Each structure stands twice: as C-alpha cells, then as structure tokens.
Amino acid sequence: MRRFTHFTCVDWSGAKTERPNGIAAATIGPEGPPALLRPEPRWSRADVRDWLLQIAAAKQDMLIGFDLSMALPFHDIGGYFPQWDDSPSDASELWKLVERLSATDPHLNILSFLEHPQAARHFRHSRDHVGDLFTGGTGRLRVVEHHQRETGQANSASCFNLVGAAQVGKSSLTGMRMLNQLNRVIPVWPFDPVPQSGPMIVEIYTTIAALAAGLPKGKSKIRDREGLETALHNLATQLPAKLERYDDHSTDALITAAWMKNASADRRLWCPPKLTDEIAQKEGWTFGVF
C-alpha cells in the first residue's frame, strides 16, 4: 500500500466571488503540527489550481483532499442528465461538459452551466426555481452518499440541490472545472490508480474527520482554540501556533489534514467493498467511507 509523507486538505467554496472567504488549505508533514497555507490576500480557486500545478511539477509526495463531490449521481437512474442528448458517459466527460459550458465565466464559476436550458432542468436553484427534472426531496445521491447515510458515516447532501447553507452543488461543480483544467497532471482517486510516487488528489468530507476527532454529530464546527486543541489531541496531533482567526473553514482544514495523515494508513479506506470499477469511473468515491 502506498505511503504518503505530506497531507493537505483544501476546504473549497463555490461562491461567485474571486476570492471566497470559504477557501482554506492546511498541510501536515511527517512531523510537527498542521499549518495553514496563507496566500495574500486570500485564496482564489485559480490560485489553488496553480498551486496544484506547482506540486505536480515538483512531484511532491502529497495526498491532497478536496471537500467537494467530484461527480454527480449516475447509477440511481442510469445517467447524469436523463433526457439530455449531451449527457456524459463518465466523470471525465462530465468535467469537460461543465468546463465547456462555463468557459466564459470568470473565477472558475459555473453560472453559465447552471443557466443552460438542459442542465437547469435537473437542479433546485431556489425555492421558486426548481427544474422540472429535479427529483424532489433531498435530491439524487451517488452510491457513496447513499452508503454514507445507510451506515451512519455521514449525512451528505445532493449536488443537485443548490439551496441552503449546507448545499454542495456549486462548490462541487466549480471543483469539476478545476479538475478538468488540471488535465490529470495529478492523478485523482478512484478515477485513476494510485501512483507509485508524487501527489494524488482525493475527495474528502470534513465531517468524517471531525467525527474521528471526537466531535459530536451536528456540532462538528470549531471556532475557538480550545476546540481545535481537543480535536487535534484526539487525533494524536500537535496544536499549531495561534491562528489570526478561528473560523470553521480554517479549523476544518487543519483537523482534516491531521485526520488524512492517520487515515491514509488504513487499507480499508482504499478498498471499500461497494466501490466497483464502474462506480469509480462514473461517480467516484469519498475517501474515508468504507
């Protein structure tokens, strides 16, 4: 089993602005505490993409987790976008479609994709704007998301729901643009095999890391130093230097980077029983769900 030496968590954001408050990145090496990566003035999505290109060029031995869904549901009804002739056949083609329809949107936004007359039919855009092919309720879920809920490992949301503070659709779709632009210079698990060396990207869910750090369900957000110290202590990880601000994006990134370091050595997480080759190529999987 591959052993990584460095681990980075990127808490992602789908906000329309160039430099969203919600992007945070933290990294941890073989020794010492996790540390925030702090560009000035703040991260943009393009900044993160360019940083990844630098990591790829340096062939750094790093496992990089992104808090977003890297594909849409497919297996529940046999396609991403039923009744649309251009509906892609796998995740790689999905990334290309999102990129093509959003190519003129600045800051890796996906507004043009969501306004496309065929794509728009599948999403809940607001309380008063619901596509005629949105399935209702919580929205469609991937195999891994159904499994998370059934086993109590997480309570993930549908990417087709764009409403509410817990929605993950916009962040996931902007992440797909980034992945497409990276053009596989960094392998992405489970779409690609684990490389023998160099960096690799995985999808993560920060709530799973928070639960592993002893935080209670429904109260997984930390906004003070005491809470961060407790969580990292439970993960056998040193506390970093005092932060300028204890927002939940920064603490999520720090805790999840520490969790990734521990979890990456768990063979079960690389071979979840429900992850078939077909599911891997069309829907992907959340690292940490077994």
Side-chain angles (χ1 to χ4, degrees):
M1 187 177 69
R2 169 76 187 278
R3 299 282 185 169
F4 294 87
T5 60
H6 291 76
F7 306 86
T8 296
C9 169
V10 181
D11 198 32
W12 193 247
S13 171
K16 292 187 292 185
T17 57
E18 179 181 6
R19 299 183 182 278
N21 290 328
I23 297 181
T27 190
I28 187 171
E31 299 178 357
L36 291 174
L37 302 174
R38 291 189 177 277
E40 292 294 339
R42 287 195 301 267
W43 286 106
S44 69
R45 285 181 284 267
D47 288 337
V48 176
R49 177 202 60 205
D50 294 345
W51 175 79
L52 289 169
L53 291 172
Q54 294 174 12
I55 295 297
K59 299 181 179 180
Q60 188 162 353
D61 184 25
M62 181 181 289
L63 185 64
I64 306 159
F66 276 85
D67 187 22
L68 54 88
S69 297
M70 294 184 176
L72 296 174
F74 185 101
H75 286 280
D76 57 342
I77 53 178
Y80 299 118
F81 305 108
Q83 301 186 33
W84 186 4
D85 290 342
D86 288 340
S87 184
S89 59
D90 60 28
S92 182
E93 292 301 314
L94 173 63
W95 302 347
K96 292 177 183 177
L97 176 67
V98 175
E99 174 68 25
R100 176 167 61 82
L101 296 182
S102 304
T104 60
D105 290 356
H107 319 315
L108 294 183
N109 273 313
I110 36 76
L111 300 180
S112 296
F113 172 78
L114 293 175
E115 291 171 354
H116 186 278
Q118 289 298 324
R121 301 178 67 191
H122 297 268
F123 292 87
R124 177 193 279 143
H125 302 266
S126 68
R127 186 180 64 179
D128 300 321
H129 180 194
V130 181
D132 66 299
L133 295 178
F134 181 78
T135 60
T138 59
R140 294 170 56 197
L141 297 172
R142 296 180 296 160
V143 172
V144 67
E145 293 157 353
H146 278 295
H147 184 62
Q148 288 173 10
R149 286 170 170 250
E150 291 167 359
T151 58
Q153 295 181 67
N155 192 29
S156 52
S158 170
C159 284
F160 286 110
N161 175 42
L162 307 177
V163 181
Q167 68 88 14
V168 297
K170 293 176 183 177
S171 61
S172 297
L173 291 165
T174 57
M176 292 177 204
R177 283 197 69 186
M178 177 200 66
L179 291 171
N180 184 72
Q181 292 182 14
L182 287 174
N183 196 29
R184 297 312 229 286
V185 295
I186 299 179
V188 183
W189 181 88
F191 309 101
D192 302 311
V194 178
Q196 293 184 353
S197 62
M200 182 163 211
I201 292 172
V202 295
E203 169 188 323
I204 48 91
Y205 188 28
T206 57
T207 301
I208 292 176
L211 294 176
L215 300 178
K217 287 186 177 181
K219 297 181 180 180
S220 62
K221 298 302 180 183
I222 289 178
R223 299 179 178 89
D224 57 58
R225 186 167 179 82
E226 292 74 21
L228 179 61
E229 181 176 12
T230 298
L232 291 179
H233 173 77
N234 290 338
L235 294 171
T237 302
Q238 299 175 40
L239 186 68
K242 186 176 181 181
L243 306 184
E244 295 177 6
R245 183 177 67 253
Y246 287 87
D247 61 88
D248 53 284
H249 305 294
S250 298
T251 57
D252 275 354
L254 289 162
I255 292 167
T256 307
W259 168 81
M260 288 172 60
K261 182 177 180 179
N262 296 338
S264 67
D266 188 341
R267 188 178 299 274
R268 297 176 304 163
L269 303 186
W270 294 103
C271 304
K274 283 197 172 183
L275 179 59
T276 65
D277 290 342
E278 180 78 1
I279 291 172
Q281 293 308 310
K282 296 186 185 300
E283 292 192 352
W285 198 264
T286 307
F287 181 75
V289 176
F290 57 91

